[in-house]
Amino acid sequence: MSIPWSVDRRPDTGHYNARLGMGLFLVADAMFMGALYSSLVFLRTAGETWSSAMEQVPAAGHVAALLLAIAAAVVLSMARRQAGVGPILASVVLGIAAVAVMTYDQAQLSAPDAGTAFAMVYVLNGVVRLHLLGGVAAALWFLLLNGRMRRDEPQHFINRLECLGMLAYFNAFAWLFSVAFIHLL
Amino acid sequence: MEAEKRHAGGRLAWTDHKFVGLAYCAASLFFMLVAFGLVLMMRWQLAWPGEPLPFFARIFDANHPSLPGGAMQPTFYNQLGALHGTIMIFLAVAPVLVGGFGSYLVPLMIGAPNLAFPRISLLGLLAFLVGGLIMLGSFFAEGGPAATGWTAYPPLSSIETTGQTLWLLGVSAVYLSSLALAINLIATIVQLRAPGMTFMRLPFFVWSELVTAFLLLLAFPPLAAAAVLQLTDRLRGSSFFLPDGLVISGQPLAVSGGGSALLWQHLFWFLAHPEVYVLILPALGMVAEIYANNTRKPLWGHRSMVYAAFFLGFMSMLVWAHHMFLTGMGSVMNAFFQTTTVIVSVPSIVIGTSLLLSLWGGSIRFTVPMLFALAFLPMFAIGGLTGMPLAFASTNIPLHDTYYVIGHFHYVVAPGTIFAIFAAIYFWFPKISGRRMNDLLGHLHFWPTLLFMNCIFMPMIFQGLAGVNRRMYDGGATYAHASEVLSLNRMATVGAFCLAVAQLPFIANFFYSLIAGKRVDQNPWEATTLEWAAPSPPLANGNFPDAIAVHRGPNEYSTGEGESDYVLQNAPGEATS
């Protein structure tokens, strides 16, 4: 028996199931990221000293631009009701590029006394990269394994893209918040 | 009808909520048995410190590091304590309530064919099983399992043996399982309600699962983040939880420092206090359904119970630091958290009082599930009321880390929640199996269990008031303060072993009834909620033979409508709620 409201929106809630599910996942994810930010604040404010090497951490506007471009690409593919493959492919390429740039940026950081401060940068960087890789994997899955759905159930496919777009926007904001917390503290 | 039976007896898909729910139940009850076995070993050590454990003495030689000649070593005692708590909370009680009964009953109670995301529910189950296997597998790791209690406080946990790494991986896997469950239950309740099933027509059990799912969704991620940070401390050389200047055995610890052990406590208790409500809210929901059914009247104050449950869930996330009064947070922080702690007791009392008033004037059927449900209330009340002195810093500090705390929270979750679980098993067994459990064996299970639960936990309250510390592996034999209450250790231990024996009628009853129990129709308890409108067991594909539409509230008993004293929620006619 099919699950109700898998594709169409339930009139009284205004959601289809996956949209609500992705929203809930992102709420949990926000709590996860929030705990890491809180940890950074706690350690920063409790510590008597804080490494000046934090100034080495790049402001990373280029990464933020890449992440926002990914989100835009996904939304663009969703907005085209034909759900063409071009923008999804672009989101995959941009995602891989963002991971590569973030890995390179992190590798440039070096300070023997930075200790906990740099460790938190590494953790935040790593968590955002994991999110990006998750998004890339999902986009590749949609591209390579959802061909029949794209053809026969376009609305279902567009729903999936919307959920991917929600994740992409979350990633961009998670990164922006990470950079802000690292630099403002 | 024949086709219906064929479907009802048909094979469940792996992604069916009934399969997932039953798998959670089976695995959780197995883990519960394991955790109970671990604590029996601990109790032996507490009652007869240093004496070889019976049976184990024949297995372990004199050179065994944990049990030389069957006698328990302090580290092994700590490991048993850590795994008992962890398994009971993360792998037994919470999963059986949310993953087991939640996954199985919620879709049935709201008239849905399945959970909203069936494949994710199966993935969650697999993550749970992997987490459980990692946790149990840590017994075979070098140095044994984690020995830092279920709280895993650093700095000890950051420098512990391999078992602690496995503990963190196991908890992370359980987190993924909780996340899958929480998202699934919320989406299912919001999206898949049958036509006519408005929110206020949801049974209280469904409400309790909804609030619980929100708690898991919001409170567990910080512990997952803390686990990530502790893993990097252990594996990558960071020191988020390790301050400067740590010295072990006279040697400075080679870490960069700059971290804080208190950070872990904040992140841990941000989950762990709401986790208490994860353990209790579904239990309250199950007891509420059983009360309404066995008193043959609606719940008293259904709406206020719903609001109280939501308020309870919200407030439970603002009380975590009452576990940390001893850390010297300062009087302002203490005042804030003791105030929120007192406030959180108000909705608990609203729900408890509503349940008590629901009994008033009822035509009570003293069935086996009702006996367990009735016993739940005073046991939960003892657990709750003994928590009040712990809410205030001034009384918390002398009681901190004593057996009083152990007695308090065990009253909430052992004779409290576990009684609710037993009640639920007896109550919904006919729905799941199509057969009823034996009443005589049920009574033989209930009465000794009630007696021995109290024999175990009541002495702990008195030992705690006498100041006996909870962490001594000899049970206080070398502690002058404990001398006058030391004999209570033996009373609790004898009670624990008797409690184990008292479970034999239940185990026999369960398996006997599965095979040869009396067959029942789809609504043997004459209940009103939607699961009883499905065949017993429910159809393998879609639960209900026909489309379901809801016309009434959840507990329409003794309405005077028709010949019977109950009306199913999907029965057409004029609703009274």
Side-chain angles (χ1 to χ4, degrees), chain A residues 1 10 13 15 17 31 116, chain B residues 117 191-193 218 257 541:
Chain A
M1 183 174 278
R10 184 176 162 125
T13 64
H15 298 293
N17 297 343
M31 291 298 291
T116 303
Chain B
F117 309 113
Q191 290 288 104
L192 302 192
R193 284 166 293 121
L218 299 175
N541 185 13

Side-chain angles (χ1 to χ4, degrees), chain B residues 26-42:
Chain B
S28 305
L29 291 175
F30 167 74
F31 286 129
M32 195 181 288
L33 208 59
V34 170
F36 187 44
L38 301 183
V39 87
L40 285 180
M41 295 168 72
M42 293 174 71

Side-chain angles (χ1 to χ4, degrees), chain B residues 189 204 280 323 368 414 481 493 508 526 546:
Chain B
I189 294 168
F204 184 66
I280 199 67
H323 296 271
V368 174
H481 280 275
T493 297
E526 300 177 314
D546 303 306

Side-chain angles (χ1 to χ4, degrees), chain A residues 1-6 8-10 12-22 24-25 27-29 31-32 35-36 38-40 42-43 46-47 50 112 115-116 119-120 123 127 141 160, chain B residues 113-119 175 179 182-183 186-187 190-194 197 214 217-219 221-222 224-225 228-229 232 238-240 256-260 262-263 266-267 270 541-542 544:
Chain A
M1 183 174 278
S2 64
I3 310 293
W5 315 113
S6 292
D8 299 323
R9 289 168 192 253
R10 184 176 162 125
D12 57 344
T13 64
H15 298 293
Y16 53 89
N17 297 343
R19 187 170 187 251
L20 179 63
M22 179 52 90
L24 292 167
F25 170 74
V27 167
D29 223 6
M31 291 298 291
F32 181 86
L36 292 178
S38 304
S39 301
L40 177 60
F42 188 96
L43 292 173
W50 195 244
T116 303
M120 186 55 87
V123 169
V127 168
W141 179 30
R160 291 195 165 181
Chain B
N114 204 342
L115 288 163
F117 309 113
R119 278 177 286 188
Y175 162 64
L179 185 63
I183 291 173
I186 297 170
V190 172
Q191 290 288 104
L192 302 192
R193 284 166 293 121
M197 179 63 92
F214 270 110
L217 188 82
L218 299 175
V228 169
L229 297 181
T232 63
S238 62
S239 46
F240 292 113
S256 61
S260 166
L262 283 185
L263 173 61
H266 281 292
L267 294 172
F270 188 83
N541 185 13
F544 301 93

Side-chain angles (χ1 to χ4, degrees), chain A:
Chain A
M1 183 174 278
S2 64
I3 310 293
W5 315 113
S6 292
V7 179
D8 299 323
R9 289 168 192 253
R10 184 176 162 125
D12 57 344
T13 64
H15 298 293
Y16 53 89
N17 297 343
R19 187 170 187 251
L20 179 63
M22 179 52 90
L24 292 167
F25 170 74
L26 294 181
V27 167
D29 223 6
M31 291 298 291
F32 181 86
M33 295 302 297
L36 292 178
Y37 301 145
S38 304
S39 301
L40 177 60
V41 173
F42 188 96
L43 292 173
R44 174 71 184 90
T45 52
E48 290 176 10
T49 57
W50 195 244
S51 174
S52 59
M54 287 296 270
E55 291 168 6
Q56 287 183 27
V57 180
H62 53 302
V63 174
L66 275 171
L67 297 182
L68 287 169
I70 295 167
V74 176
V75 172
L76 186 64
S77 67
M78 201 182 83
R80 289 178 169 190
R81 303 294 292 178
Q82 300 301 317
V85 297
I88 312 176
L89 198 58
S91 75
V92 171
V93 173
L94 288 167
I96 293 169
V99 171
V101 170
M102 291 167 76
T103 307
Y104 175 79
D105 280 352
Q106 181 174 313
Q108 300 306 305
L109 299 178
S110 173
D113 67 331
T116 303
F118 268 14
M120 186 55 87
V121 174
Y122 294 158
V123 169
L124 287 172
N125 195 314
V127 168
V128 174
R129 275 185 289 169
L130 266 181
H131 278 77
L132 276 170
L133 288 174
V136 166
L140 281 173
W141 179 30
F142 296 164
L143 266 180
L144 303 177
L145 301 175
N146 280 179
R148 187 180 292 172
M149 181 189 284
R150 196 165 71 234
R151 191 179 63 242
D152 300 340
E153 300 176 82
Q155 187 57 47
H156 200 169
F157 187 74
I158 288 167
N159 287 352
R160 291 195 165 181
L161 289 183
E162 186 183 10
C163 293
L164 184 62
M166 291 164 75
L167 177 66
Y169 269 103
F170 179 86
N171 287 346
F173 279 103
W175 177 249
L176 287 171
F177 272 94
S178 300
V179 172
F181 272 101
I182 288 166
H183 283 279
L184 293 179
L185 285 174

Side-chain angles (χ1 to χ4, degrees), chain B residues 371-543:
Chain B
L371 289 176
F372 275 103
L374 283 172
F376 164 89
L377 208 52
M379 298 295 106
F380 175 60
I382 294 174
L385 292 173
T386 50
M388 289 307 284
L390 298 173
F392 298 96
S394 54
T395 40
N396 177 296
I397 288 169
L399 290 171
H400 189 95
D401 255 351
T402 68
Y403 267 101
Y404 182 89
V405 180
I406 306 280
H408 150 66
F409 73 72
H410 276 86
Y411 260 105
V412 175
V413 293
T417 298
I418 291 177
F419 271 22
I421 291 171
F422 281 133
I425 291 173
Y426 282 101
F427 187 68
W428 279 290
F429 187 89
K431 177 51 55 190
I432 293 165
S433 68
R435 297 172 186 273
R436 187 171 160 160
M437 291 179 81
N438 182 281
D439 279 347
L440 176 62
L441 287 172
H443 281 271
L444 285 175
H445 176 216
F446 170 71
W447 293 105
T449 299
L450 177 64
L451 175 68
F452 294 124
M453 279 278 192
N454 283 284
C455 286
I456 300 168
F457 300 118
M458 190 57 81
M460 293 183 186
I461 301 279
F462 294 113
Q463 285 185 318
L465 287 171
V468 181
N469 188 282
R470 64 192 273 194
R471 303 196 189 275
M472 288 180 293
Y473 102 110
D474 62 1
T478 53
Y479 189 54
H481 280 275
S483 58
E484 290 190 7
V485 287
L486 211 56
S487 60
L488 292 177
N489 273 336
R490 293 190 178 177
M491 178 181 170
T493 297
V494 170
F497 280 92
C498 290
L499 182 68
V501 174
Q503 304 316 300
L504 296 178
F506 169 72
I507 294 169
N509 194 0
F510 187 88
F511 289 107
Y512 169 79
S513 302
L514 265 184
I515 299 162
K518 185 182 166 192
R519 284 190 184 278
V520 292
D521 65 10
Q522 69 181 31
N523 192 2
W525 303 113
E526 300 177 314
T528 56
T529 42
L530 282 187
E531 77 272 29
W532 302 103
S536 300
L539 301 188
N541 185 13
N543 291 331

Side-chain angles (χ1 to χ4, degrees), chain A residues 115-116 119, chain B residues 158 229-240 242 254-257:
Chain A
T116 303
Chain B
S158 292
L229 297 181
Q230 196 176 106
L231 273 173
T232 63
D233 274 7
R234 295 179 56 78
L235 303 176
R236 303 291 297 162
S238 62
S239 46
F240 292 113
L242 295 170
V255 294
S256 61

